């Protein structure tokens, strides 16, 4: 691949802008300045520096963010900041998208990617990828509420019943539950349907991929190949 095309593909600007950066001597490969935009490169395992920052070539990007409260999963947020404000411009230029949405007040595991197929695989309604949430409720949780969540509830304007699995009470006002669809406000609506109210919502897991306990709020990392497979794992419903 041409050096200028490689830089463009990684989100460093238009072809012209990349040519300019290269010709100015700001790009290094193996420590050597490369000022020829037309240089041919093997992109596999390619590491390079731009403005003294190191990068790895990535055909597609797959990211896990520990989403903080008060951020909207939208490029055009209405009332809060955008989660995309937490990422460098080169990732935004690559057309990074959220894999499903979390509400602005929901925290925890959010995946982002520029791979449309991966996004589809995780969000398509027929693909049952489990999502595990820890829910803090306004009122004490009752045994009847736990049972109703597990046996299934009706939701206004939706067909059928919606069941949670692995419903476990963690404290008087806290439970963990797994859902298998991605309806708008699904957890909040399910908790409301059993007569309680969500005070705090935190996503801990997607498929078999859990939020690492040492990933601080607002921090993110690139998923490994194994992480990608874990996230895609469908449940057996
Ligand atoms: N369910 C909700 O109600 N909100 C979220 O952010 C995610 C799931």
């Amino acid at each position: 691949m041409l050096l200028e095309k490689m830089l463009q593909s990684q989100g460093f600007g238009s072809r012209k802008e990349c040519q300019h950066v290269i010709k100015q001597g700001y790009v290094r490969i193996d420590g050597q300045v490369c000022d020829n935009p037309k240089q041919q490169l093997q992109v596999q395992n390619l590491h390079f520096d731009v403005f003294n920052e190191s990068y790895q070539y990535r055909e597609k990007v797959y990211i896990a963010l520990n989403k903080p409260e008060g951020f909207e999963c939208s490029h055009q947020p209405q009332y809060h900041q955008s989660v995309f404000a937490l990422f460098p411009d080169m990732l935004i230029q690559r057309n990074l998208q959220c894999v499903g949405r979390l509400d602005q007040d929901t925290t925890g595991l959010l995946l982002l990617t520029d791979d449309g197929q991966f996004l589809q695989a995780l969000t398509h309604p027929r693909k049952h990828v489990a999502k595990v949430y820890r829910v803090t409720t306004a009122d004490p949780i009752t045994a009847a509420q736990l049972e109703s969540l597990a046996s299934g509830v009706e939701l206004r304007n939706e067909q059928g019943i919606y069941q949670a699995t692995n419903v476990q009470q963690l404290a008087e006002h806290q439970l963990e539950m797994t859902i298998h669809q991605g309806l708008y406000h699904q957890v909040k609506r399910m908790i409301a349907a059993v007569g309680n109210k969500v005070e705090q919502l935190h996503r801990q897991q997607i498929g078999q991929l859990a939020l690492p306990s040492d990933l601080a709020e607002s921090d993110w990392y690139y998923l490994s190949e194994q992480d990608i497979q874990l996230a895609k794992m469908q449940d057996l419903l």
Side-chain angles (χ1 to χ4, degrees), residues 131 146-155 160-167 177-181 186 190 237:
K131 270 109 23 193
L146 298 174
E147 271 166 37
S148 299
L149 288 168
S151 56
V153 294
E154 289 184 0
L155 298 177
I161 60 160
Y162 289 84
Q163 269 177 300
T165 55
N166 300 322
V167 183
M177 62 190 258
T178 302
I179 61 169
H180 303 268
Q181 308 81 12
Q186 183 167 340
M190 288 177 73
L237 276 189

Side-chain angles (χ1 to χ4, degrees), residues 102-103 106 133 185-188 201:
L102 289 178
D103 299 334
T106 302
Y133 289 90
H185 289 336
Q186 183 167 340
V187 174
K188 291 177 183 167
L201 189 55

Side-chain angles (χ1 to χ4, degrees), residues 12-78:
F12 286 95
S14 66
R15 191 85 162 234
K16 270 230 148 72
E17 286 163 342
C18 292
Q19 284 173 354
H20 186 71
V21 171
I22 297 165
K23 285 186 189 161
Q24 296 293 307
Y26 292 122
V27 180
R28 288 174 188 260
I29 296 172
D30 293 332
Q32 300 293 313
V33 171
C34 266
D35 57 6
N36 175 10
K38 305 290 178 203
Q39 175 155 342
Q40 280 287 356
L41 297 169
Q42 277 289 357
V43 288
Q44 217 181 352
N45 296 323
L46 177 69
H47 292 257
F48 57 95
D49 291 5
V50 182
F51 298 121
N52 290 324
E53 287 265 346
S54 297
Y55 300 92
Q56 179 186 336
Y57 174 84
R58 294 174 197 273
E59 190 180 344
K60 297 285 177 197
V61 287
Y62 307 88
I63 286 170
L65 168 72
N66 185 355
K67 180 191 172 295
E69 207 179 316
F71 284 79
E72 291 181 31
C73 292
S74 166
H75 282 286
Q76 274 96 35
Q78 289 199 299

Side-chain angles (χ1 to χ4, degrees), residues 217-236:
E217 278 201 353
S218 303
D219 280 359
W220 57 272
Y221 68 98
Y222 289 107
L223 298 186
S224 66
E225 188 52 44
Q226 192 193 359
D227 291 334
I228 293 169
Q229 297 312 323
L230 288 173
K232 281 205 278 201
M233 265 187 199
Q234 294 185 33
D235 46 52
L236 301 171

